[in-house]
Amino acid sequence: MLNYSKGESEARLSAVFDHAIDGIITIDESGLVESMNPAAARLFGYEPVEVLGKNIKMLMPEPDHSQHDQYLDNYHRTGHKKIIGIGREVKGLKKNGTQFPLYLSITETPFEGKMIFTGIIHDISELKLSQSKLKEYSEELETSNRELERRVIERTRDLARANEGLSYSNESLQKEIEERRQVERALRESQKLYKTIAKNFPDGILCVLDKSLKYLLIDGMENEPAMGQKEDWVGSYATSMNFIDQKDEFIKGLKQALTGLPLDMEMTVSDGAREYQVNAVPLYDDDDKIVNLLVVCKNITERKKAEKEILNALNKEKELNELKSRFVTTASHEFRTPLSTILSSASLIGRYVGETEVADKIEKHVMRIKSSVNNLTYILNDFLSLGKLEEGKTTFHPTIFDFEEFIEETISQIGPTLKKDQKIVVDRSSPVVGNVYADEQMIKNVLINLLNNASKYSDEGKSIRLSLTAKKNQLAFKVKDDGIGIPAKDQQHLFDRFFRANNAINIQGTGLGLNIVKKYIELMNGHIEFSSEENKGTEFKVSIPITQPSYD
C-alpha cells in the first residue's frame, strides 16, 4: 500500500476534484455549499465564489427549491433516505434562469466529526434531446409506413378497377409506379436518418430491440472492444452478450422494460474492465402498445475511477490521522515512564547525600537511572531509525567481519539490560565460519532488538536461547524465549508500526522495534518468520544472504 503525506493526499484529491468531467458539489448538514468543482460551475453558469456558503436550493427550480430544506429536516429527524445513495433524473436551474435535465447521484460521508453530502452531476440535455428526436423520427417512420401501406392499398384497388373496366391506360400505370417508387425512397431516407442519429450518438451506444430482445439497430460513437463491429450484432439477441458481467440482471431488466418499467442500472463488462450506465425505455405505437425497446449505454469508467480515487484519498487521510494519533499516544506514554523514574531516583539519591552506610541504596537508584536512560536511548533510536528508513537514508553497506567476535560483543553490550538472573544461552551445534561479508550494523540492530524483546517479555531468571549458523551463502539465527507469547489474533499485525499486542500494554515499548527489524532484513534481502503461543513463549527465525566481496 502506498503511503502519502497529507499534502500529497490533498493534492491528489484536488486534482481529481478539479479535473472531473462531471460536476461535483459538496454541502454540509444545513444544505450550505462547501465546495464546487469547475465542471459544476460551468453547468450552472456561476463562478464558484457566487455559490460557496449559500444554500444548494439556489440551483434548483420549483418545486424542489421550496421543498429542499424540508427534505433535509426530515432526514435529520428520521434518518429516512429518499435520494441519498440512489441516482435519479432531476432538473437544475442555471444562473440565467433556464432549466436543464441532469442525472444526480448523492452520497453521504462522515468527515471530521460531521456529515457531508457529495453530489455527482451529469448533464443529460443531449441525451434527452436525442431521445426526443429519436421518438419524433420513429413517429415519422411509422407515419411513412402507414401512408405507404394506404397508398399501396389504394393503388391496388384502382388497378383492380382498371383491369375490370379495361379502361386503365398505360400512362396512368406508369405514373402509379413512379409514385410508389417515390414513397419507397422516402421510406429509405427516413430509415437512413434514423441510423444516422444512432451512429452519431455521443459518448455511448444506442440500441433498438424488438420484443424478443433481438437487435434491430446498434450504433454510437462509443467503441466497446468486447463487442467488435457493432453492425455485426444486428439480428442477434441480447441473451448472447456473454461479456456482460451482470448478464442475468441485464436481461431481467430488459424484460421488465417491455412491461413499461424503465431500466436504470450500472453494469460492467469483461470482468470489470469497463463500466456503463444503462437505461432502457419502451417505444410505443399509436395505440400505446409497446413495440420496441430503446437502450442507451453510457461509458462511466472514468467517472467511477474518479469516484474511487476520491474515496481512496479520503480513506488515506483518515489512516494518516489515526497513525499520527497512535504516534503521539505512544511517544507520550513511553517518554513519561523513564523520565518519572529518573526524577524520583535522583530525588532519593539527594536524600542519602551525607549519610553513611547507604551505598547500596544509592547504587540501586543509580542503576534505575541508567536503566531508564537506556530505555530512553532505545526509544529515541527506534524513532531515528524509522525516520531514516522512511526517508530512504538507510542503505546497505556490507563489510568483512569476524562473526564469532561480533556475537560476543553483541551479547556483552546487551548484558546490562537483562532482567535479574536472566542469561543468553548460545547454541553453536552447527559449524560457524569465521569471517562473513554482510552489513554488520544492520545485523547488530536486528539481533539486539530481538534479544531485548525476549528479555522484556520474559520473567526474571528465564534463559534466552540464541542459535547461530553461518554457511557459505547464508547467515541464520534463532532467538527463542519462554515469555508471555503473542495472542493468535494479534500475530497478523506484529510487524505493523506502533502495534502492541493486547497482553503487552503494561510493558514498556513503542511498537516500532519489529517494524524496523523487518525493514532492515528486507534491505538485506533477508527473511524473518516467527512462531508463538500465548504464555508459552516466542521464537524468531532470521535468514540473511551473504556474499563474497568483489574487488574491482
Side-chain angles (χ1 to χ4, degrees), residues 194-209:
Y194 195 102
K195 292 181 178 180
T196 300
I197 293 172
K199 185 175 183 64
N200 294 281
F201 183 75
D203 301 327
I205 300 173
L206 186 147
C207 312
V208 176
L209 290 75

Side-chain angles (χ1 to χ4, degrees), residues 9 77 86 165 242 261 267 323 340 353 359 406 536:
S9 297
R77 286 187 297 99
I86 302 173
N242 295 321
L261 182 63
M267 72 179 187
L323 188 60
S340 298
V353 174
F406 166 80
K536 293 188 178 181

Side-chain angles (χ1 to χ4, degrees), residues 396 442-443 446 473-477 517-529 541-546:
F396 179 59
M442 279 193 189
I443 296 176
V446 169
N473 297 317
Q474 181 173 293
L475 174 66
F477 54 86
V517 163
K518 191 172 188 296
K519 291 182 181 295
Y520 277 142
I521 292 174
E522 288 173 348
L523 278 174
M524 295 185 285
N525 293 320
H527 176 70
I528 183 171
E529 60 184 43
K541 300 178 181 179
V542 177
S543 61
I544 299 170
I546 55 177

Side-chain angles (χ1 to χ4, degrees), residues 318-506:
K318 181 180 179 182
E319 180 183 344
L320 181 61
N321 289 335
E322 291 176 353
L323 188 60
K324 289 178 180 177
S325 177
R326 285 164 58 186
F327 169 78
V328 171
T329 301
T330 301
S332 300
H333 179 270
E334 294 306 321
F335 278 117
R336 186 184 298 115
T337 301
L339 286 173
S340 298
T341 302
I342 292 171
L343 181 62
S344 62
S345 293
S347 299
L348 289 171
I349 289 174
R351 295 179 184 179
Y352 298 143
V353 174
E355 297 184 16
T356 60
E357 300 180 354
V358 293
D360 56 337
K361 295 181 180 180
I362 293 176
E363 182 180 0
K364 172 184 175 183
H365 289 293
V366 168
M367 292 303 296
R368 290 183 66 190
I369 291 174
K370 289 181 178 179
S371 176
S372 296
V373 170
N374 285 333
N375 285 336
L376 278 174
T377 301
Y378 286 134
I379 292 171
L380 291 173
N381 284 339
D382 281 349
F383 288 150
L384 291 173
S385 296
L386 180 63
K388 290 180 179 179
L389 285 166
E390 293 292 342
E391 295 171 5
K393 295 182 178 179
T394 303
T395 56
F396 179 59
H397 293 294
T399 58
I400 299 176
F401 62 94
D402 186 291
F403 191 63
E404 289 287 345
E405 292 182 2
F406 166 80
I407 293 299
E408 295 298 332
E409 178 186 343
T410 303
I411 293 176
S412 175
Q413 181 177 341
I414 201 173
T417 66
L418 297 177
K419 293 181 180 177
K420 183 178 180 180
D421 296 329
Q422 283 185 342
K423 61 181 179 179
I424 299 174
V425 179
V426 182
D427 177 13
R428 293 187 175 87
S429 57
S430 300
V432 178
V433 298
N435 291 335
V436 296
Y437 183 67
D439 192 314
E440 181 178 4
Q441 189 58 49
M442 279 193 189
I443 296 176
K444 178 176 286 189
N445 290 340
V446 169
L447 189 55
I448 287 179
N449 197 295
L450 294 178
L451 291 173
N452 265 328
N453 280 352
S455 170
K456 185 178 359 179
Y457 298 117
S458 299
D459 293 334
E460 295 179 352
K462 294 289 185 178
S463 295
I464 300 166
R465 289 173 292 284
L466 173 62
S467 302
L468 306 167
T469 304
K471 297 181 180 179
K472 183 177 181 180
N473 297 317
Q474 181 173 293
L475 174 66
F477 54 86
K478 302 177 184 178
V479 177
K480 189 176 189 323
D481 64 64
D482 297 318
I484 62 176
I486 305 165
K489 65 179 181 179
D490 292 336
Q491 292 184 12
Q492 61 178 326
H493 302 294
L494 192 61
F495 295 105
D496 293 350
R497 285 183 294 177
F498 302 111
F499 178 77
R500 305 294 308 283
N502 286 332
N503 60 345
I505 299 300
N506 296 322

Side-chain angles (χ1 to χ4, degrees), residues 17 39 80 132 150 177 236 254 327 340 369 379 398 434 501 509 521 552:
F17 186 82
H80 179 63
S132 176
R150 183 191 66 77
I177 293 173
S236 62
L254 292 178
F327 169 78
S340 298
I369 291 174
I379 292 171
I521 292 174
D552 297 332

